[in-house]
């Protein structure tokens, strides 16, 4: 008896213009429909990349973001609207809802969480490609460790690739990391940068720089997912859109003595030297040392006599004087109105618990 393997045919009309593009074709479109991609960070770059990938017809998107939508995001974060900002909807959940409106075939797993060593293996499980859309190097080095750890080049060729992307001001940068083939992040930069790094909270950001970073990142992702690995760029590419500058640094070869991809030593996955409290821009502090679930309803009742409380089922916001404490169901909190870590810790201990 003849056995027939049927693959669910992608919607032919919907993807017809992409299928006409010869390097993708029918076969490439089917590979996209069968693929699982994680996007870490769902702010400007993450929302743009998620929108492009969902419209291109990828099968499953894993979206991870620790933050909620605010009015100042709407200038560049294409999946969110004024209602999301009014309701302070967590970005991962707002993105999931918006994607469902334009491509209900793409499965979206939304995680309102900070990606950390303790949850990275669970949250990224099954992803063949990880897109970096974070705003910090701590998380990028963690993703780099994970992708190299999971990849077994030469042993069945199992590969978990990731694509770095960053945008600030009029500047956009991106790099493909194919463990075992190209340089990894630590090959080029053994240690994360120290000292102040410009962010969109200090240097501002053009939405065009964001969309450029996302466009290049997603194009490289489409090459990877459709099996056109040889067409992928092997360099760190940077643009300054305002100055009309473009620069490229080769990343074609791994560095032999690289601690991560050479010696397979994963300090960031072990969580070494990782702070439990971090400054996260826009005059705010994140506390994530208490990895325990919080009953948001009970917390709202307890806090109501002490200040302004509102809750949307996924998070709780408590305003008191100049400070706003946003509490997530996993016990994590963002405290806005201060960059004083000791004060943030005190407010957390007083109103959430120590
Ligand atoms: Zn390396």
């Amino acid at each position: 008896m003849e056995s027939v393997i049927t693959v669910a045919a992608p919607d032919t009309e919907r993807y017809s213009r992409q299928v006409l593009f010869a390097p993708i074709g029918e076969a490439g479109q089917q590979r996209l429909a069968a693929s699982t991609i994680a996007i870490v960070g769902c702010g400007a770059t993450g929302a743009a990349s998620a929108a492009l990938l969902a419209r291109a017809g990828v099968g499953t998107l894993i979206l991870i973001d620790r933050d909620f939508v605010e009015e100042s995001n709407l200038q560049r974060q294409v999946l969110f609207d004024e209602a999301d900002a009014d309701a302070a909807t967590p970005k991962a959940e707002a993105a999931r809802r918006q994607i469902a409106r334009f491509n209900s075939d793409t499965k979206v797993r939304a995680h309102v969480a900070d990606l950390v060593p303790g949850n990275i293996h669970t949250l990224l499980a099954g992803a063949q490609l990880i897109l970096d859309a974070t705003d910090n190097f701590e998380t990028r080095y963690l993703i780099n460790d994970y992708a190299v750890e999971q990849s077994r080049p030469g042993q069945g060729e199992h590969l978990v690739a990731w694509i770095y992307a960053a945008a600030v001001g009029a500047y956009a940068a991106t790099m493909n990391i194919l463990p075992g083939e190209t340089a990894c992040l630590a090959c080029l930069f053994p240690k994360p940068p120290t000292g102040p790094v410009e962010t969109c909270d200090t240097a501002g950001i053009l939405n065009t720089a964001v969309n450029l970073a996302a466009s290049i990142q997603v194009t490289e992702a489409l090459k990877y997912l459709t099996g056109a690995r040889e067409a992928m760029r092997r360099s760190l590419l940077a643009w300054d859109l305002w100055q009309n500058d473009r620069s490229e640094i080769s990343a074609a070869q791994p560095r032999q003595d690289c601690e991560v991809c050479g010696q397979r030593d994963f300090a960031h996955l072990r969580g070494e030297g990782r702070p439990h409290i971090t400054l996260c821009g826009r005059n705010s502090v994140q506390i994530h040392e208490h990895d325990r679930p919080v009953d948001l309803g009970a917390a709202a009742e307890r806090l109501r006599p002490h200040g302004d409380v509102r809750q949307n089922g996924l998070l709780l916001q408590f305003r008191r004087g100049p400070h706003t404490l946003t509490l997530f169901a996993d016990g994590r909190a963002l405290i806005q109105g201060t960059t004083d870590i000791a004060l943030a810790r005190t407010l957390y201990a007083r109103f959430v618990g120590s």
Side-chain angles (χ1 to χ4, degrees), residues 80 88 99 106 200-201 211 218 225 254 270 316:
F80 313 133
I99 289 169
T106 296
C200 56
D201 293 305
N211 282 16
V218 170
L225 297 169
R270 290 196 299 272
L316 172 158

Side-chain angles (χ1 to χ4, degrees), residues 293-325:
V294 168
D295 180 339
L296 293 176
E301 287 313 309
R302 207 172 59 244
L303 288 170
R304 211 155 264 133
H306 304 286
D308 230 21
V309 177
R310 63 181 193 147
Q311 203 201 328
N312 65 18
L314 295 163
L315 57 78
L316 172 158
Q317 285 194 316
F318 171 61
R319 269 174 240 264
R320 185 182 161 92
H323 303 114
T324 300
L325 185 150

Side-chain angles (χ1 to χ4, degrees), residues 144 148 182-188 254-255 257-262:
N144 189 60
V148 173
T182 69
C184 82
L185 182 64
C187 287
L188 262 64
R255 183 168 51 81
D257 58 346
C258 174
E259 279 183 20
V260 180
C261 68

Side-chain angles (χ1 to χ4, degrees), residues 240-257:
D240 185 323
L241 288 172
W242 207 260
Q243 300 297 333
N244 302 309
D245 281 342
R246 178 190 190 278
S247 63
E248 224 171 326
I249 299 171
S250 174
Q253 294 294 330
R255 183 168 51 81
Q256 296 259 305
D257 58 346

